Amino acid sequence: MGRKISKVFKQSGVIPYRVNNGKVEILLITTRNHQHWVIPKGDIPSGMSPPDSAAKEAWEEAGVIGQVDANQLGTYKYRKQGKAYQVKMYLLPVDILSEDYPEASKRKRQWVEVNQAIRRVKFSSLKRVMKDFFQVKSSSCAFRCY
């Protein structure tokens, strides 16, 4: 018997960040059931680019607005309810942090330093994307300082 090949659902997401007192901080959000810390991500609507979709998710799930960097950071995979997902990841320097956004009552959010964010996120493949990027870039002037 051959193994059934299952469809991989495509998503996009962002790592919302800011520079605070010279340190990079990432905005993590909880899943809707508050069990895990994650980053904003979701399905890519038909006709929408992955970076635009990621920006939409950042607004809906975390209440943040900024210009998504169109250069893909990497991808990570996860499984949920028997389905496989692949998430294209982008950086989002946060310009606006709103208190009133679509999922404000469904999620918690918290700014944390990079190493703490990496420890908190659930998926090892997301941890890898974050580590690979932030360990390389944090030593350079890649981040916009406020």
Side-chain angles (χ1 to χ4, degrees):
M1 287 279 202
R3 229 179 110 220
K4 182 181 156 207
I5 304 295
S6 61
K7 180 179 178 189
V8 176
F9 294 89
K10 305 288 186 193
Q11 295 187 320
S12 65
V14 296
I15 298 176
Y17 77 91
R18 68 182 180 189
V19 177
N20 188 20
N21 295 324
K23 292 187 186 243
V24 177
E25 294 178 332
I26 295 172
L27 184 66
L28 294 180
I29 60 173
T30 60
T31 53
R32 284 192 191 112
N33 61 13
H34 300 281
Q35 287 187 345
H36 302 288
W37 288 100
V38 295
I39 47 85
K41 64 166 174 42
D43 296 334
I44 303 169
S46 179
M48 187 177 275
S49 72
D52 288 347
S53 173
K56 178 178 83 70
E57 294 297 333
W59 164 249
E60 291 174 358
E61 295 182 355
V64 292
I65 297 173
Q67 183 62 48
V68 172
D69 185 331
N71 297 308
Q72 185 177 309
L73 278 181
T75 61
Y76 79 95
K77 295 178 182 177
Y78 72 97
R79 295 187 76 78
K80 180 178 175 182
Q81 298 172 339
K83 294 179 182 174
Y85 295 86
Q86 182 176 33
V87 185
K88 293 181 178 186
M89 292 300 303
Y90 300 89
L91 273 181
L92 174 70
V94 174
D95 292 325
I96 297 169
L97 180 70
S98 178
E99 295 304 317
D100 183 22
Y101 55 99
E103 296 188 15
S105 64
K106 298 176 182 151
R107 299 177 187 271
K108 295 178 186 171
R109 62 185 182 182
Q110 187 173 29
W111 287 106
V112 294
E113 288 187 16
V114 172
N115 289 333
Q116 188 177 10
I118 291 168
R119 281 195 302 273
R120 283 191 185 182
V121 294
K122 177 182 177 184
F123 301 108
S124 58
S125 52
L126 174 57
K127 290 177 190 282
R128 178 186 40 77
V129 170
M130 293 168 80
K131 276 183 195 171
D132 288 351
F133 181 76
F134 286 103
Q135 287 177 350
V136 170
K137 297 294 187 187
S138 60
S139 60
S140 69
C141 289
F143 297 103
R144 205 177 344 146
C145 295
Y146 299 98

